[in-house]
Amino acid sequence: MFIDRVTCQVVAGKGGNGVVAWRREKFIPKGGPCGGNGGKGGSIILQADIQISSLDWFRNRRILKAENGVQGGPNNRSGRNGEDLILRVPCGTLVKDAKTGDVLADLTQDKQLIILCKGGRGGRGNESFKSPTNRAPNTCTEGTEGGSKEIELELKLIADVGLIGFPNAGKSTLINSLTRVRVKIAPYPFTTLQPNLGYLQLADYSRIFIADIPGIIEGAHLNKGLGFEFLRHIERTTLLLYVLDASGIDGRNPVDDWKVLRDEMHSYNPELLERPFIVALNKIDTDEAAENVKIFKEQYPFDPSTLFEISAIAGTGLPELVEAITTLVRQNKLKPE
Ligand SMILES: Nc1nc2c(ncn2[C@@H]2O[C@H](COP(=O)(O)OP(=O)(O)OP(=O)(O)O)[C@@H](O)[C@H]2O)c(=O)[nH]1
Ligand SMILES: [Mg+2]
C-alpha cells in the first residue's frame, strides 16, 4: 500500500459588506434608508468523486480560496453570494487538519462531501436597522471573514500490478519504461530499497498503478536479502508481473528463477499463487537470451497471453505487454472480492 499526501490551505470567501444608502426620489421627502445587505462568502467543500484517481490537481496549488460575497447596493439590493468552491478528491481520501492532525473526514463513497470552511456572513445594510424609533439609521456592518484551515489530504493507493523478480532482473528499468516515474537503475543487486509506484495512463484517462518492489532471492522467507518485508505492498494487487532475466548474466537462468520465485511466494502466502499473473522474459536484446528463452518455453509452455519476451531497455515487446496488463487488470478488477 502506498500513501500519497498533499497539504494546502483553504480559505472560505469573506462576506460582502452592508452599505448605507438613502432613497432620493423626487416628491418623496425623507425617503428613508435603502442600503442593502452584503452577500455570503463562498464555502469550501470537499467532495469524493469516483472519476478522480489522484491528488495531482492539488500539487502546486498551495492556497485555495472561495469567492467573496459582493457588497450590498442602494435600493435595498443585496449583494450576490460568493460561489462555493467544490474541490473534488478521489474516493478513499482521508482529510486531516494539518496543524492538529485531527481527522476531519474519511471520504470513501462517491459524492460524499464535507464542508471544510463556511463562508463569511454578509454585513447588514442600513435598511435592516430601520425601526419605529430609528427611522433613519446611519449604520451598516461589514461582512465577516470566511473560515480558513490548513489541511492534509491522504490517499491510500493499492497497486493494480506488482512486479516480482530477482535483483537485477530489470524491474525498475521496466517501470521506468512503462510509466513516468524515474527510479534508480544499476547493475548491482538491491538497487531498489524502497517500493516505487508508477502508473500507466490509459486512453480513457483511467490509470493502472504498478508497484516496483525490491528484488526477492532464494531464502527470502528466511529473511535473506531484504526478505518479505515488501511483499505486503503487492499482497492486494490484482495482477502479478514476474520479471525474469533471460540473459543469464548474473549466472542464473529463468527456469530456476521462476521456480525459486514461485516457491518463495508460496512460503509467504500460498494464495499469491492463485493470483492472475504474467511472465516477462526480460533482456532479450542480449545474445544469451534466445537460448534461455527456448529452454524456458520448453519447460513451461505458457500461453502467449501469459508469456512475453521483452527488452525493458530497448522497448521491445512492451506495447503487447501493456495491452495484456490492461486486459487482465480490467477483467479481474470487475470481479467481486
Ligand atoms: N541488456 C539489457 N539490460 C537490462 C534490461 N533491463 C534492465 N537491464 C539492466 O539490468 C540491470 C538491473 O536493472 P534494474 O532495473 O536496476 O533491476 P531491478 O530488478 O530493479 O534490480 P533491484 O532493484 O536490484 O531488485 C541494469 O544494469 C539495467 O541496465 C534489458 O532489457 N536489456
Ligand atoms: Mg530496482
Side-chain angles (χ1 to χ4, degrees):
M1 204 167 332
F2 299 80
I3 294 176
D4 195 14
R5 264 197 201 100
V6 291
T7 52
C8 59
Q9 193 178 4
V10 289
V11 185
K14 181 179 173 301
N17 296 335
V19 294
V20 170
W22 306 101
R23 293 177 62 181
R24 288 182 198 286
E25 293 105 343
K26 230 175 178 180
F27 310 122
I28 306 181
K30 296 188 181 168
C34 69
N37 300 332
K40 279 189 298 198
S43 299
I44 301 273
I45 296 171
L46 221 53
Q47 185 169 38
D49 186 333
I50 204 157
Q51 308 272 2
I52 310 264
S53 58
S54 77
L55 295 172
D56 289 353
W57 186 88
F58 289 87
R59 295 193 204 291
N60 310 321
R61 285 186 166 91
R62 285 290 307 136
I63 301 182
L64 296 159
K65 274 189 174 163
E67 202 183 17
N68 292 337
V70 175
Q71 73 166 29
N75 299 326
N76 294 330
R77 280 205 307 272
S78 296
R80 191 171 56 77
N81 292 338
E83 243 180 80
D84 293 340
L85 180 61
I86 302 176
L87 302 168
R88 298 187 199 283
V89 294
C91 296
T93 301
L94 194 67
V95 190
K96 287 185 187 166
D97 184 313
K99 290 219 175 87
T100 62
D102 292 344
V103 173
L104 304 174
D106 188 1
L107 302 176
T108 50
Q109 303 293 320
D110 189 29
K111 303 281 182 289
Q112 191 185 346
L113 55 80
I114 171 183
I115 300 176
L116 276 182
C117 301
K118 282 209 159 161
R121 279 193 309 274
R124 290 168 65 184
N126 68 337
E127 205 276 339
S128 72
F129 287 95
K130 196 169 68 174
S131 70
T133 51
N134 184 1
R135 290 163 63 179
N138 202 1
T139 357
C140 63
T141 59
E142 289 191 355
T144 60
E145 293 290 334
S148 100
K149 260 192 195 97
E150 185 88 18
I151 56 161
E152 180 180 304
L153 303 176
E154 191 179 291
L155 177 64
K156 291 195 172 67
L157 294 168
I158 294 169
D160 302 299
V161 183
L163 297 184
I164 297 172
F166 268 72
N168 274 348
K171 301 177 296 299
S172 300
T173 310
L174 183 60
I175 202 173
N176 282 0
S177 295
L178 294 181
T179 74
R180 287 203 294 195
V181 291
R182 286 295 157 258
V183 176
K184 187 178 170 200
I185 299 171
Y188 53 80
F190 303 114
T191 312
T192 303
L193 297 172
Q194 286 295 326
N196 301 298
L197 191 68
Y199 59 83
L200 291 173
Q201 180 80 60
L202 305 180
D204 65 357
Y205 297 104
S206 62
R207 288 175 178 180
I208 291 181
F209 286 90
I210 303 181
D212 168 31
I213 60 167
I216 291 176
I217 58 171
E218 182 159 18
H221 68 283
L222 304 172
N223 238 351
K224 286 203 180 149
L226 292 177
F228 279 161
E229 200 196 327
F230 300 102
L231 281 180
R232 70 194 153 86
H233 288 282
I234 53 148
E235 243 189 319
R236 293 170 66 188
T237 57
T238 313
L239 176 71
L240 300 178
L241 175 51
Y242 290 93
V243 183
L244 303 179
D245 184 343
S247 73
I249 289 170
D250 285 349
R252 299 190 318 261
N253 68 71
V255 173
D256 292 347
D257 285 2
W258 171 249
K259 202 178 159 312
V260 171
L261 285 176
R262 295 288 279 185
D263 286 349
E264 293 296 332
M265 300 295 274
H266 183 263
S267 311
Y268 179 72
N269 176 359
E271 262 176 45
L272 286 177
L273 299 190
E274 312 292 320
R275 199 69 56 87
F277 65 87
I278 288 178
V279 180
L281 290 169
N282 189 28
K283 309 194 187 181
I284 56 156
D285 54 291
T286 57
D287 295 340
E288 301 81 356
E291 182 63 19
N292 285 328
V293 168
K294 191 168 148 262
I295 299 172
F296 186 85
K297 281 182 163 173
E298 281 164 13
Q299 283 276 333
Y300 300 103
F302 286 119
D303 193 79
S305 60
T306 302
L307 184 70
F308 290 82
E309 296 169 40
I310 64 164
S311 166
I313 280 193
T316 324
L318 297 190
E320 294 82 356
L321 179 64
V322 166
E323 211 179 301
I325 291 173
T326 312
T327 312
L328 275 175
V329 167
R330 284 201 172 142
Q331 271 172 10
N332 291 286
K333 244 189 167 177
L334 293 176
K335 281 189 196 160
E337 298 224 326

